[in-house]
Structures are given as C-alpha cells and as structure tokens.
Amino acid sequence: MNTFKNIQQVKNSKKTLSLFAVFVLFGTDLVMAQSADTAVAGGTPTDKSAMWLSVGYYTLLFFVACLCVAIFGKILKVYDLSLKMQGKKGFNWNNIMGICCAIFLIAAGYGAYWSFTVQGSMSLPEAASVHGVAIDDMFTLTTVLTMIVFVLTQVALFGFAFLYRGSDKRKAYYYPHNNTIEKIWTVIPAIVLTMLVVFGFFTWQKVMDTTPEKGDINIDITGHQFAWELRYPGPDGKLGNVNYTLYTPLNILGIDYKDRNSFDDLKADTLVLPLNKSIRLNIHAQDVIHSVYLPHFRVQLNAVPGLPTFFKFVPTITTADMRARTDNPNFEYLLYCNKICGGSHYNMQKVVRVVTQAEYQDWIARQKPYLTDKLKQELKFATAKPAVGGQSSSSRLALNN
C-alpha cells in the first residue's frame, strides 16, 4: 500500500511534473535538431550519426537510463508486495543484489579492458626529450601500481558482496576491530605513496632545473590572440629586453632597442631546435593566458600576461628520425596552445623542427632580424659611418630620442 501511496504522491507533485515537462522538451529539442552541415540542400542528413554526437545527448541518455532503472525497480517492488499480499514468498533481495554486483564486476572489468586496448592508443606519443623519458617512466609506474590496487579492491568489494550475500543458512559475524589488519592497510599504502611522492619529487627537480648552462639556446616565445611569435638571439648569443609599453604594429613584441643586445635579434616562423642542445624557452603572453604545449617533448607551461616564465629541455630525436620511426614522411612536431584562449584558439599552432647542429647553423644564418628598415624609421635610427684614417668603419646604429 505504501508503494501505491508514493506513486500517487509523485503524480500529484507539481514540481515533479514540471521537471518532467522540461526534461521532455529538452530531449525533443536535442533529438530533432541537426546542424546545417549535416544536411544537404534537400534536407536529407548526409551523416545521421553526427546529430547524436553531443554532450547534451549523452547527458539525456544518462537521465533516461536512470529513469528506466527507477521505474523498473518500482515495478519489481510492487510485484514483490503483491506476492506477499497473496501469502507467497517474495523476492530474495540479497540474491538479486549479489548477482547485480557480480554482473557489474564483469561488465566493469570488460570496460577497463576495453579502455586500455582501444583508448590506450590515444596516449602521448614517443618522448623526444631527455626529461620526457623520466616523466613517462614516472607515469607508467604510477599507472601500474594504481591498476594493481584497482583490480584487487574491486574484485574484493564486488566479489565478497556476491559470495557472502545474506542467506538464511548463515549468520554474519560481527568483527569490530583488528589491530593487525589496521596496520597492514595503513602502512602498505603509506609506503607506496611515499615512494611515488619521492620519485615524483626528484623527477620534478630534474625537469624544473633552472641552473644556467654554457651553451643554452635562449628562444623567446610570445603568445597573443591568435598566434605564437618567435625570437632568436643573433650572433652575440643574447636576447634584448622587451617592454610591453613599446608595442607598435611594427614592433609587435615591444623589443627595447635601447638595449644593444636587441639589434641582432632574429625573427622566425618555425621553431627550429638543434639536436641534444639545452633549449630555454622564455615564455610571454600579451593579452590572455595561453599555454605552451609541445606533447612530444613533454613540455607544457602557461604563458601569463605580465609574468614571464621559462622552461628548459633537451630534444633527442630529429624530425627526420621521427619520420622514419612513424613511417610518416610528412610528420612534423607541433607547438600548440593548451588553453581555450578565444574563438580562434585552434589557429595557435607552430611547426617545430629538430635538426642537426650543422643544419641549425645553416638555418639560423638565413633568418632576418626583427629590426627592419621600416622599424628603424619608426624608431628614428640613424646610421653613421665615421671615417678613421681615410677608411670607413663598420656601420653603427644610434637611436635618436
């Protein structure tokens, strides 16, 4: 009788009926709608599967599944009560729940297996930097340990719920406390977690090592909506200072040309890196937060306006070698922005090319300086060639303020 009373209360609830109406309208809108790019001029969908691929659809599907389970449970409950009212034996809910746990364990086990076999191929590609190998090792160790714990605990949890489900033939034993068991499941996880933390700490220390090294190649990388700008040092090996107040359409990085180290700074469209050399990326942002992301090199660091940061790494596999390993003659390393920084966020890609030292030297010699003739005119640079002993000396630049 209580069940019928509850059903009647649900039917009479205005809030429930209102929620159900909204739910039906939302579902109808999702099911009937289709984007313009899935239909041809005559209105026939060219790809019917495309209309289902949305977060809203799967959310709706989840709620429908929950509703079906709830209705099915209510039906079983009503049927169980009707059996008891007729003097018959009702359902053995202990067996039902135990069998449900066993089914869930098998289904979830298959789901975990499917996730590893199908989606495992979506993991990060082969590491192409020194620290990338260490990060992958740490990730692999953590995954293996957590998977062992996951399998053991889930098998024990749902397996025990099935094997030792309630029965009239046995009575549950109340086991209030055991110091040995408490010590085991406290000490072992503490040791494993300590190992992971210590391993991760030393790996992180190596990855984020900021010690300057002789031969470091400094490269400025600046993000703005929606592109990356690259600046290499010239023959002096030093990058000049930048100041956001000096930004102009010609001086898009705000390079400070009062710093003479800026005179020979070079502009590049491709991020070219020499093999086995320490690379220091000096990271800047001009408008919103961007994120320098180089998946093959395991590099990711935010570019925050007003807060310059940097990241050091050593590339270990040339682009040519990676093309051979992947059997893809068109393979390129890519630089992405890993922050959703606006409507054209997808445009923030740069080709990254790892080459030998000789190829790098040849490439860098062909790059042009940021200080163009038009920028010299804007900054009112004057070129003078003072004569010494009847001979002209090399040109020198002067900034007329």
Side-chain angles (χ1 to χ4, degrees), residues 217-219 230 232 268-275 279 281 297 313 315 319 332 350-357 359-364 366-367:
I217 298 178
N218 277 280
I219 304 171
L230 302 174
Y232 280 74
D269 292 326
T270 302
L271 183 59
V272 177
L273 309 173
L275 182 68
I279 308 298
L281 294 180
F297 304 101
F313 68 101
T319 299
E332 295 285 6
K350 278 282 188 188
V351 172
V352 182
R353 198 158 290 151
V354 180
V355 297
T356 63
Q357 182 64 28
E359 290 172 325
Y360 175 75
Q361 293 297 338
D362 178 65
W363 174 84
I364 200 73
R366 291 184 279 107
Q367 303 311 302

Side-chain angles (χ1 to χ4, degrees), residues 163-199:
L163 294 174
Y164 301 105
R165 60 191 180 277
S167 171
D168 296 335
K169 297 180 181 180
R170 61 172 177 262
K171 184 178 181 180
Y173 176 70
Y174 179 64
Y175 200 61
H177 186 72
N178 185 292
N179 286 331
T180 302
I181 295 178
E182 292 282 350
K183 291 176 183 177
I184 290 174
W185 68 36
T186 300
V187 172
I188 292 179
I191 293 174
V192 173
L193 289 174
T194 301
M195 290 171 56
L196 291 176
V197 169
V198 171
F199 182 33

Side-chain angles (χ1 to χ4, degrees), residues 101 105-106 109 148-163:
C101 286
L105 176 62
I106 295 171
I148 291 173
V149 174
F150 168 77
V151 172
L152 293 178
T153 54
Q154 299 309 302
V155 169
L157 175 63
F158 294 101
F160 271 58
F162 172 73
L163 294 174

